[in-house]
Amino acid sequence: MAEPDKNGSEEPPLDGETVGRPRLGSMSRPPFPWFGMDIGGTLAKLVYYEPTDITRDEAEAERDSLKVIRKYLTSNVAYGKTGIRDTHLEMKNLALCGRTGNLHFIRFPTAGMERFLLMGHEKNFSSLHTTFCATGGGAYRYEEDFLRIAGLQLNKLDELDCLIHGIHYIDSNKFNGSSECYWYKNPTREDLCEKMPFDFRNPYPYIVVNIGSGVSILAVYSQDDYKRISGTSLGGGTFLGLCCLLTGCDTFEDAIEMAAKGNSNNVDKLVKDIYGGDYTRFALAGDTVASSFGNMHIKEKRETASKEDLARATLVTITNNIGSIARMCALTEKIERVVFVGNFLRVNPISMKLLAYAMDFWSNGQLKALFLEHEGYFGAVGALLQLTKTSPFEQPIDQ
């Protein structure tokens, strides 16, 4: 309902910013704030669009709760003990739904969902919105909590639709003038390894490997033509869970840090441990993994393997398995480009370089592993796009 002015008459809602809950057909775009959310099994990802073209009239008409939310999200890089805004991923001067603004990327453990909802309740978010666009399995799991704690009705969206639309929207807008997509040249040579931009404007067809808690693999023929072709339960959640059991670490960042210091050769059984050297008939080098954790049945090996070695071996095991499945899918579908996304790749150059090398080597150069800067946020971006596309206050936008 519009607020009365000093003379007692009602001021009409302003275009783009609303002073209360919007009425159907009362404006041409959804009211601020604009969010999209992807609630995964391990990590929740939130994108927030901060308008930077607010007029003086809009600023004067804003509700205090809207100002509080904007200031809280944009003036902090950490929220509590576990919420993080990835400032290095922020996209500036982004045009969306007729507005100009900055896109912020925020993540927190899904286990902290109740604290997130309590924060939304304390900041009176439901006075600005009655619905919240979300994707991922958690959109179903936490639907009742959103309504009970925060007074918000969830608009639940298909996670694969959001993933694909998010990928193409972010890539089409560039990353602050730089390429979103890249590949690794000489991935196994630290002295020669280079991160190279890749033109993703006409990528079809391609395989997308989404590595979250588990893994989903899609064949994409166009922005609206794709199918899920495979997957595995052995993903980022498996890596973190096993590392917590084997090393006593508590977070993904801790697990990756330990893996970076370890040597998986102290844990795995290699080709040379079996053949005494290379297996020349099939061009298998002696340092190729023959059996992940294969030396841990030997007491002396167990006693000398460090926690860092165990973390590295776990990371290599999970990564090699994902790479093997992705390669087989690409060969079956006769597709040469394989795009790896998901928060498993965050702060994880070890896995990215392993995947880059494996795709190239085992396909004799026919397959190329591609990566994207915004890794695990594409589902949340897709949910944001759906907010601006399907809102009753907005005609479909040209994506």
Side-chain angles (χ1 to χ4, degrees), residues 30 70 200 211 254 272 312 319 322 363 371 387 389 391:
R70 182 188 301 124
F200 202 64
I211 315 173
D254 289 343
K272 64 184 178 183
R312 182 63 167 251
T319 302
I322 294 170
S363 69
F371 306 93
L387 168 70
K389 179 179 180 181
S391 167

Side-chain angles (χ1 to χ4, degrees), residues 177-211:
S178 301
S179 176
E180 172 72 19
C181 187
Y182 63 94
W183 60 284
Y184 281 105
K185 182 179 180 180
N186 301 314
T188 60
R189 294 282 304 276
E190 287 297 326
D191 56 332
L192 297 176
C193 183
E194 292 184 75
K195 190 176 174 180
M196 308 293 292
F198 185 86
D199 187 347
F200 202 64
R201 285 177 294 181
N202 186 26
Y204 308 108
Y206 67 92
I207 299 289
V208 60
V209 183
N210 188 25
I211 315 173

